[in-house]
Amino acid sequence: MSDIRRLRLVPLWGLLIAVIAESCSIGLVGLSGWFIAGSAVAGATAYSTFSYLAPSGGVRGLALSRIATHYTSRVVLHSAALHRISAARLAFYDRTAEDSSTHGHWSGQALDRVMADADNEGMALIQATTPMTVTACLTAGGCLAVAIAGYPAVAVVVAVAAALCATLATVTARGRTDPGTTRATLRTELAAAVDAWPEMASLGATDQLRQRTWQLLAVYDNQQVRRAAATARALGATRAVSAITLVLTVLLADAHGADVTTLVFLALLVTGVAANAERLVAAAEARALARTAAERLSSTDCAATGSHPNAPFIRGTYDHRGLTVTGDRVPDAPTRQGRRIEVTVPAGRTLLVTGASGSGKTTLLEAVAAALHQTSGTRGQPTVTSVSADDHVFTGTVATNIRLADPRASDDEIEGLLAAMGLDRGGLTPGTNVGVGGRDLSGGEQRRLHLARALATRPDVLLVDEPTTGLDAGTAARVLAALRRRLPDAVLVLAMHEPPAPTAPPAPPWITVSLDAGRRNIACARK
């Protein structure tokens, strides 16, 4: 038997063992009740010949079987669920890796969404499939046993009650909303509030920030309250159905002439089946969440990955002679008009993407990077490196940050990169600690470390969003000149609010794409 086939059979074995375990539980309750009732009746009857040996042995056997099968089913089902979670995550990442439209649009929130969806889909085996399967099997088996024992009316009542519980669970689950989106928004807002608190305090805007956070908390809390209320109503309704079923069972069995021990056995059997039917409420909700998660995981669109819904579709190619960016458009936004992009940048030249804040500079760079990353890094293909405006400095030393880009970089090579970025003038060496998240460095030093790390990849195309942030005019000019000097044959794509002065680096002459609002078509101007 192949490994794949064996893995597919594991959930089936787990479900079978779970059914046996729950059957042992109901059998234990029913037999124990019958045994106690039989003992009581025998004790009240003169000259009784009731034997307790066989029933007590059966109780012990069912108790031991229940413990063993419950433990085994949990081990098997959790193993199968873990495998499903891992397989779902890997399958999603494999599909998105092949889809270039998702490159450059990932975020922490998107990754969290994928992890949660994979968990929901995998755990549905335990939270949804198992209770549904157990309830169906026990209901069918219990009704069959009751009918064979001579109480068909009771069997019909039990079957109808189970169907009503299943219907209530399904209706309740359909009205649920996925709490993941609201929870992710709240988590993102709280993280942003913590980071922004010092700045808001200096502006005297902490009350507004607090009010905004409380509003999101209230939305999430109200959603949780509504979900809890719906669950409570559904559970109350199913328990009412169970109570009515129990009363009808006793009345019908008594009318059929059942003795006391039989009445007790039937009542406990029906109670056990009804208790499993009540679990359908939570199972139906888990199944609905798993179905939604599976739909998202089966797609690589923006709803699944969290990419920006207005991400432009840009075709970018690099053939070692130059970079060509064509069609289709930078999307419409409140601060800008949609427009076409058509530009060619020869190797060794620089493309400046300029425009005011909100004009689409970052959007364009992300789109170009996504298009180029589809083939970059493979044998014979160009190396493309992107530096975002909010790039990260990792805790550790300067050298460990540089070696993230080039693990083989020597201390001498790192010192050369630091000198090129002017960081050596501030006393930075390969062994300098940068602090947690780079907090021991100034904003300008962090920015230059970002650029030094990017240079270590020796890219054919380097895209930098706001390369001179935090730098004075003189340092900015030297940094831009160093980028071109270290990468003489590369294409540089730099997003800046305004182009440098005509006499400033980078040289040779650059190509400018202006994204200022109000211009419908993009014109390329050469300096």
Side-chain angles (χ1 to χ4, degrees):
M1 183 182 299
S2 66
D3 291 340
I4 295 178
R5 186 179 178 186
R6 188 181 297 108
L7 288 172
R8 289 177 178 174
L9 290 177
V10 168
L12 297 179
W13 283 112
L15 291 175
L16 177 60
I17 298 172
V19 171
I20 296 174
E22 203 61 38
S23 299
C24 290
S25 298
I26 294 179
L28 177 61
V29 172
L31 182 59
S32 298
W34 178 87
F35 183 33
I36 294 171
S39 299
V41 171
T45 303
Y47 308 107
S48 173
T49 59
F50 179 78
S51 174
Y52 66 88
L53 295 178
S56 62
V59 169
R60 292 187 180 91
L62 287 173
L64 292 175
S65 299
R66 173 182 175 276
I67 294 172
T69 51
H70 264 296
Y71 176 79
T72 304
S73 67
R74 288 188 179 186
V75 171
V76 174
L77 289 173
H78 276 82
S79 175
L82 181 60
H83 174 74
R84 287 190 171 191
I85 291 172
S86 301
R89 291 175 180 173
L90 291 174
F92 180 85
Y93 293 142
D94 287 342
R95 287 196 301 274
T96 53
E98 298 173 357
D99 186 356
S100 62
S101 64
T102 64
H103 299 172
H105 299 290
W106 283 87
S107 64
Q109 182 175 340
L111 292 172
D112 179 71
R113 177 76 271 171
V114 172
M115 300 288 278
D117 285 341
D119 288 346
N120 286 334
E121 186 181 21
M123 291 302 293
L125 175 64
I126 297 174
Q127 299 172 347
T129 305
T130 298
M132 288 179 176
T133 302
V134 169
T135 300
C137 292
L138 292 183
T139 301
C143 291
L144 181 61
V146 171
I148 293 175
Y151 302 93
V154 174
V156 171
V157 169
V158 173
V160 171
L164 284 175
C165 291
T167 302
L168 284 170
T170 302
V171 171
T172 303
R174 287 179 178 175
R176 298 292 174 85
T177 57
D178 184 3
T181 301
T182 305
R183 184 169 57 246
T185 301
L186 175 61
R187 183 167 52 249
T188 302
E189 179 70 16
L190 289 175
V194 170
D195 291 338
W197 190 266
E199 182 178 356
M200 294 297 101
S202 67
L203 296 174
T206 55
D207 289 340
Q208 294 90 321
L209 183 61
R210 186 185 298 110
Q211 182 64 26
R212 175 186 173 92
T213 304
W214 274 114
Q215 288 175 352
L216 287 174
L217 281 170
V219 170
Y220 180 71
D221 186 59
N222 289 336
Q223 186 184 63
Q224 294 298 95
V225 170
R226 289 195 299 269
R227 293 178 67 248
T231 299
R233 288 194 297 269
L235 285 175
T238 55
R239 287 167 182 168
V241 171
S242 299
I244 294 172
T245 303
L246 180 59
V247 172
L248 291 176
T249 296
V250 173
L251 293 177
L252 291 172
D254 183 63
H256 200 270
D259 55 25
V260 174
T261 55
T262 303
L263 278 174
V264 171
F265 179 78
L266 287 175
L268 292 175
L269 177 64
V270 170
T271 300
V273 172
N276 276 280
E278 291 177 8
R279 297 168 59 191
L280 293 176
V281 174
E285 179 181 0
R287 172 57 61 189
L289 290 176
R291 187 179 298 112
T292 302
E295 291 174 355
R296 281 196 292 256
L297 290 171
S298 64
S299 172
T300 58
D301 60 13
C302 62
T305 64
S307 61
H308 195 285
N310 289 328
F313 182 75
I314 295 292
R315 289 184 292 274
T317 59
Y318 180 84
D319 59 3
H320 296 285
R321 290 178 296 181
L323 169 68
T324 300
V325 179
T326 59
D328 287 332
R329 63 188 181 90
V330 173
D332 287 312
T335 59
R336 62 175 182 260
Q337 293 177 305
R339 60 202 72 193
R340 294 187 59 79
I341 300 293
E342 295 182 3
V343 62
T344 299
V345 187
R349 300 289 292 275
T350 301
L351 172 65
L352 295 180
V353 181
T354 65
S357 296
S359 60
K361 300 188 301 295
T362 299
T363 303
L364 177 58
L365 257 65
E366 289 179 350
V368 174
L372 293 175
H373 276 304
Q374 183 178 7
T375 57
S376 68
T378 59
R379 184 176 180 84
Q381 297 299 325
T383 299
V384 179
T385 300
S386 301
V387 181
S388 63
D390 56 352
D391 212 346
H392 190 71
V393 173
F394 294 88
T395 304
T397 65
V398 169
T400 58
N401 272 272
I402 298 295
R403 289 188 176 116
L404 289 173
D406 183 7
R408 297 171 296 180
S410 65
D411 284 350
D412 289 341
E413 291 173 332
I414 294 174
E415 289 175 354
L417 292 172
L418 297 180
M421 292 294 103
L423 290 170
D424 59 333
R425 298 187 181 92
L428 268 65
T429 66
T432 301
N433 287 312
V434 300
V436 178
R439 293 176 183 175
D440 291 350
L441 303 180
S442 68
E445 288 174 333
Q446 290 186 35
R447 194 59 181 154
R448 284 179 284 169
L449 182 55
H450 298 155
L451 297 174
R453 186 169 59 197
L455 288 175
T457 65
R458 304 173 184 85
D460 297 295
V461 180
L462 175 62
L463 304 102
V464 187
D465 193 1
E466 303 296 347
T468 58
T469 298
L471 305 179
D472 59 78
T475 302
R478 289 191 293 271
V479 165
L480 293 177
L483 290 178
R484 174 50 66 202
R485 186 173 62 253
R486 300 282 300 196
L487 301 173
D489 299 322
V491 172
L492 302 183
V493 182
L494 310 178
M496 306 175 67
H497 289 294
E498 296 180 355
T503 57
W510 57 84
I511 299 172
T512 302
V513 168
S514 176
L515 298 183
D516 284 328
R519 293 186 179 181
R520 174 64 64 177
N521 295 315
I522 297 301
C524 296
R526 296 180 182 273
K527 294 287 185 179

